[in-house]
Amino acid sequence: MAKNDPYEALRFREFNFFLLMRFALVFAWSMQFVIIEWEVYCITKNPLSLGIIGLMEIIPAVCMALFAGHIVDQSEKKRLLTKCLLAFSIISLGLFLITLPSIAKEYSSKTILYTIYTLVFFGGIVRAFITPAVFSLLGQLIPKKVYPNASTWSSSVWQIAAVTGPAFSGIAIGFFGVHWSLCFVLGCTILALLFLSGIEKKPILNSKIGEPIFQSLKEGVRFVFHNKTIFNAITLDMVAVLFGGAVALLPVFAQDILKVGSTGFGILRAAPAVGSFLTMLLAAYIPLNKNAGMKLLVAIFMFGVCMIVFGLSSYFWLSVLALFLSGLFDGVSVVIRQTILQLETPDHMRGRVASVNSIFVGSSNELGAFESGVTAKLMGTVSAVVFGGCMTLLTVTLTGALSPSFRKLDIHKKIEEL
């Protein structure tokens, strides 16, 4: 058996530009979302408003997802992704302008709040196209045998950005304020465009150009629902993230429960991403492909346990540790799921499959934010987080008991056959 090369994907020049582009994009997006969370909670002092942020993004992301997947499969990936990054830059510019001190003096807090919600809504539309475009472009940059290693590095870069973005945003808010922090976000979106220019245009691999949209969408949805490996993986992760995510409520914990301010908020926000990144870094050297199903079930179960500990904790560093460990286990889930998607998805359907995945998993973060906001309003912040963790444990237990074939999932053999 060939020796595992942890740097195999990094030997492809365009893949490195892809990683730089993805880092700049995710850094900007995660930093912007955290700054918006902070600003909105400062305006409203209402945890439900944090849930509304997620709702404003998920509505267009879900409604446009399948249509976006069809467009991606019918389009040249680099050109489409360039348009998406330009649109994201315009949204970042809008948030930068709405937080100008002169604007804050001239307009009411309600007007500013609704403008932020509107810009987040348009950001959801852009995100619907970015997710399948990035997934599809990755598949054209490296050979199929390198997909597992490339997925690990791509996910790792995503987590590095998710670590540094929230952490820097917390520090930046404290030192520079919301307005100039958003200026930095705008600069990162422009940087992402520059890195994307290092990748050449790619051929359109879909042989059914001009296929009727509803027929195309039906084919993509049918493929996902008939491929039990993909369907089970993304469904399990969706439900776990939907009920087990407490990230949307971190401003409440930072300001009202743990009382650690903006710097502590940045640390809390970054802790799970740090843990997830470490897992992915190790996964480049120690692949997680053997017994993948059981590893995925155990990892998500432990993620739920960590959420319960975090919800009950009244000590800052215990809360940080619980979030850090939740990130470790979440990293296992991300690596396994991304490897499954890359290996099981045909080239001509990557956009549509990625879009369905974004509805199941990607959008569950924002839907989970809304669920957390609603449950926090109804039962209290701490009870909402503990309830979500318990629901995660229940979901994993039922999935493991009812799906013995998924418990035995092993994708190592499939990789060896490539």
Side-chain angles (χ1 to χ4, degrees), residues 42-368:
C42 286
I43 293 173
T44 66
K45 290 298 181 180
N46 186 347
L48 182 59
S49 64
L50 301 177
I52 293 175
I53 296 175
L55 188 64
M56 286 297 99
E57 186 167 348
I58 191 178
I59 289 175
V62 170
C63 292
M64 296 293 295
L66 294 178
F67 174 74
H70 168 76
I71 296 297
V72 169
D73 283 338
Q74 298 274 321
S75 306
E76 195 279 310
K77 309 304 181 285
K78 178 189 173 181
R79 182 183 303 166
L80 181 60
L81 190 54
T82 299
K83 293 178 180 178
C84 292
L85 294 180
L86 286 172
F88 179 46
S89 299
I90 294 173
I91 293 170
S92 298
L93 177 61
L95 290 168
F96 171 70
L97 295 175
I98 197 62
T99 55
L100 276 167
S102 58
I103 295 293
K105 292 179 181 179
E106 185 173 351
Y107 295 94
S108 66
S109 296
K110 188 175 182 180
T111 300
I112 294 174
L113 179 65
Y114 288 167
T115 302
I116 291 174
Y117 285 154
T118 301
L119 290 170
V120 170
F121 181 88
F122 284 113
I125 296 176
V126 175
R127 170 184 157 173
F129 287 87
I130 286 181
T131 300
V134 168
F135 179 81
S136 300
L137 181 61
L138 171 59
Q140 291 188 278
L141 298 178
I142 36 85
K144 289 185 181 294
K145 287 186 177 181
V146 189
Y147 282 171
N149 185 255
S151 296
T152 300
W153 280 109
S154 180
S155 299
S156 298
V157 165
W158 188 95
Q159 288 297 343
I160 295 174
V163 169
T164 53
F168 187 79
S169 64
I171 297 171
I173 291 171
F175 281 92
F176 307 112
V178 169
H179 176 63
W180 291 110
S181 298
L182 288 170
C183 180
F184 190 83
V185 171
L186 178 60
C188 288
T189 62
I190 296 173
L191 194 61
L193 279 166
L194 293 177
F195 289 135
L196 182 59
S197 66
I199 300 176
E200 296 181 358
K201 293 182 179 180
K202 302 300 176 184
I204 302 174
L205 301 178
N206 188 359
S207 60
K208 299 181 180 179
I209 300 299
E211 180 183 18
I213 182 171
F214 289 108
Q215 181 178 336
S216 173
L217 298 183
K218 183 179 179 181
E219 182 183 0
V221 173
R222 185 192 296 118
F223 174 81
V224 172
F225 278 80
H226 280 76
N227 188 306
K228 297 303 181 183
T229 302
I230 290 179
F231 180 76
N232 287 334
I234 64 179
T235 301
L236 177 65
D237 207 48
M238 176 198 71
V239 176
V241 173
L242 175 63
F243 289 108
V247 174
L249 298 176
L250 288 184
V252 184
F253 278 91
Q255 295 186 40
D256 300 337
I257 297 176
L258 300 174
K259 301 184 185 301
V260 292
S262 61
T263 301
F265 171 62
I267 295 174
L268 289 169
R269 192 65 172 76
V274 173
S276 188
F277 165 67
L278 290 179
T279 296
M280 294 179 187
L281 189 63
L282 290 174
Y285 296 87
I286 309 173
L288 299 171
N289 304 317
K290 291 184 177 180
N291 302 316
M294 182 58 68
K295 288 177 181 176
L296 187 59
L297 290 169
V298 172
I300 297 180
F301 185 90
M302 293 307 300
F303 173 84
V305 171
C306 291
M307 287 297 99
I308 294 174
V309 173
F310 171 76
L312 295 175
S313 171
S314 58
Y315 299 98
F316 175 64
W317 290 111
L318 177 59
S319 299
V320 172
L321 177 62
L323 290 174
F324 170 78
L325 292 176
S326 75
L328 283 175
F329 296 116
D330 185 53
V332 174
S333 170
V334 171
V335 169
I336 293 176
R337 190 181 70 252
Q338 288 300 316
T339 300
I340 288 173
L341 288 175
Q342 288 289 351
L343 288 173
E344 296 283 339
T345 306
D347 290 331
H348 69 282
M349 297 185 66
R350 290 186 177 276
R352 283 163 288 177
V353 171
S355 293
V356 175
N357 178 61
S358 71
I359 294 175
F360 275 72
V361 179
S363 297
S364 62
N365 288 299
E366 282 67 39
L367 190 57

